[in-house]
Amino acid sequence: MEFSELRRGILNKLADGEFHSGTELSEALKVSRTAVWKQLNALQEFGIEFTAVTGKGYRLDRPIELLQQKVIKDALTEDARSLISAIFIHDQIHSTNAYLIEQSDHVTTSGMVCLAEYQTAGKGRRGRQWVSPFGNNVYLSVLWKYQSGPATISGISLAAGVAIIRVLKKFDVSGIGLKWPNDIYWNGRKLGGILVEVSGETEGPCTVVLGIGLNVFIPDKDAENIDQEWVDLTRITREKPPSRNILAASVLNELMTVLAKFDSDGINAYLNEWRSYDCLRGNCATVHIGSRQFSGVVEGINDNGMLLIRHDDGKIVPYASGEVSFNPVDIS
Ligand code: BTN
């Protein structure tokens, strides 16, 4: 869903974080000052806070870099551009993954991309909520269709994790790792996550919607709703996070080729790199599968991308699914 032209116009003006008077805004947008005021109030419903000062006007409490189709497209590589069929940017949406899943029956081509400023029902793994405040983070999903069945693309989320780490390294973000299966971690805190949703027949074809959430800035009031240790790029880089538009384009530059080649490359092409970013290996951890728990020392992943745990009896057991916590109590 898009904001009205008026609401977008006001937000575009205020995005710089400077003061803009009611008169300036109403003249620029050719509406009354009351209409401006109404829109400002409506923006508060999206968590966009502003200060009003007599004689100065309105100023956002924090500048916002709004997503811009042109800036993203200009920053794409030729390869990525050729693999993308369309880019949709929504001001507000339930979930970028859910949006593409809804589209998937009507589209025959791969490469549809959806980004949003705000998700009202952002989805995390295992039915969790993905906290998605307005204009601060990257919420991005890509739809890809494969001729083969889901078995051929097993491990695709691990490959996507590798793609994200490659991007973050280009932005000189250090200390980043992967927590099996595909959480992006920094010093024991979650920086981002990947949600892969697959539909189709066992023998194929199948459709993948791969969604990525990357924390660029989490306002304190939204952080209260996150039920695990988290971090964002603003805190890691001490107030100098990468541009969201360039970050989104860079993610697409890495991710599109991963998606396009995964049915032929398979997980093998990413295993060694994934292992080099593994932040669980050597740690004591617990795998939670439903109400059951299995603790031991993490020995890495096997060639199928399954988590290997060495239990007290010395046996190394592969796990295909489950939530992993660094200690037995905290399910992070
Ligand atoms: C996780 O739990 O680690 C996965 C989080 C995935 C969040 C992203 S944000 C963009 C896309 N749309 C969603 O609703 N979820 C994914």
Side-chain angles (χ1 to χ4, degrees):
M1 196 189 115
E2 270 41 84
F3 284 172
S4 67
E5 225 174 283
L6 174 58
R7 190 173 297 176
R8 250 275 156 172
I10 292 174
L11 195 52
N12 274 328
K13 285 260 173 215
L14 291 176
D16 60 8
E18 303 294 330
F19 274 110
H20 295 270
S21 72
T23 309
E24 178 201 332
L25 294 172
S26 68
E27 281 176 5
L29 295 151
K30 299 186 176 54
V31 291
S32 69
R33 289 177 62 172
T34 317
V36 169
W37 175 245
K38 275 190 189 156
Q39 290 301 328
L40 284 167
N41 276 331
L43 285 174
Q44 283 183 312
E45 287 167 28
F46 294 89
I48 304 168
E49 304 286 354
F50 65 90
T51 305
V53 174
T54 317
K56 285 186 163 180
Y58 308 105
R59 182 177 73 177
L60 291 189
D61 290 354
R62 200 182 162 85
I64 294 184
E65 183 206 357
L66 295 164
L67 294 174
Q68 290 178 64
Q69 178 98 235
K70 182 172 179 335
V71 180
I72 295 175
K73 281 188 171 162
D74 287 351
L76 292 174
T77 58
E78 279 305 315
D79 280 352
R81 215 170 283 162
S82 69
L83 294 167
I84 292 172
S85 57
I87 301 182
F88 297 96
I89 301 180
H90 297 278
D91 289 317
Q92 174 197 353
I93 195 123
H94 44 342
S95 143
T96 54
N97 262 36
Y99 174 81
L100 288 184
I101 290 168
E102 286 156 20
Q103 306 304 311
S104 64
D105 282 348
H106 321 298
V107 292
T108 47
T109 51
S110 293
M112 193 180 262
V113 173
C114 178
L115 287 131
E117 297 285 13
Y118 183 76
Q119 295 187 119
T120 52
K123 296 190 275 183
R125 291 175 60 240
R126 303 188 170 266
R128 281 185 165 137
Q129 173 204 16
W130 189 256
V131 174
S132 309
F134 188 96
N136 283 310
N137 303 306
V138 173
Y139 318 119
L140 177 157
S141 302
V142 183
L143 179 150
W144 203 269
K145 293 195 174 247
Y146 294 97
Q147 286 315 310
S148 45
T152 10
I153 47 110
S154 126
I156 198 164
S157 67
L158 277 78
V162 168
I164 306 296
I165 300 281
R166 287 179 185 167
V167 171
L168 294 170
K169 285 178 88 169
K170 282 189 188 153
F171 284 97
D172 286 332
V173 183
S174 54
I176 306 282
L178 290 167
K179 174 176 169 260
W180 186 88
N182 49 30
D183 286 348
I184 318 298
Y185 255 59
W186 180 84
N187 281 350
R189 293 169 174 269
K190 187 156 167 171
L191 173 65
I194 298 164
L195 176 67
V196 178
E197 297 186 90
V198 186
S199 58
E201 305 299 321
T202 319
E203 298 301 323
C206 72
T207 301
V208 169
V209 171
L210 191 148
I212 292 169
L214 257 183
N215 299 339
V216 179
F217 176 69
I218 302 278
D220 289 344
K221 64 177 180 337
D222 296 290
E224 288 167 14
N225 299 321
I226 303 181
D227 60 358
Q228 48 194 324
E229 295 291 329
W230 61 272
V231 71
D232 59 31
L233 287 172
T234 305
R235 283 156 174 102
I236 294 177
T237 59
R238 308 224 168 112
E239 293 294 320
K240 288 207 173 71
S243 142
R244 281 196 310 140
N245 285 293
I246 303 300
L247 190 57
S250 307
V251 167
L252 290 171
N253 286 342
E254 288 293 337
L255 188 65
M256 296 313 293
T257 41
V258 168
L259 288 169
K261 296 201 303 189
F262 198 81
D263 51 349
S264 55
D265 281 359
I267 194 175
N268 267 333
Y270 303 93
L271 279 175
N272 286 341
E273 206 175 338
W274 198 99
R275 286 177 176 132
S276 72
Y277 305 135
D278 186 351
C279 61
L280 278 181
R281 195 187 170 116
N283 281 284
C284 289
T286 302
V287 185
H288 303 259
I289 304 173
S291 58
R292 293 179 304 157
Q293 302 187 0
F294 306 91
S295 297
V297 176
V298 177
E299 294 287 337
I301 55 170
N302 69 11
D303 288 351
N304 298 318
M306 291 157 89
L307 182 74
L308 298 171
I309 300 267
R310 182 162 41 82
H311 294 294
D312 284 350
D313 60 4
K315 279 198 187 122
I316 297 178
V317 178
Y319 291 90
S321 63
E323 282 293 292
V324 187
S325 60
F326 281 99
N327 65 60
V329 202
D330 164 39
I331 305 178
S332 57

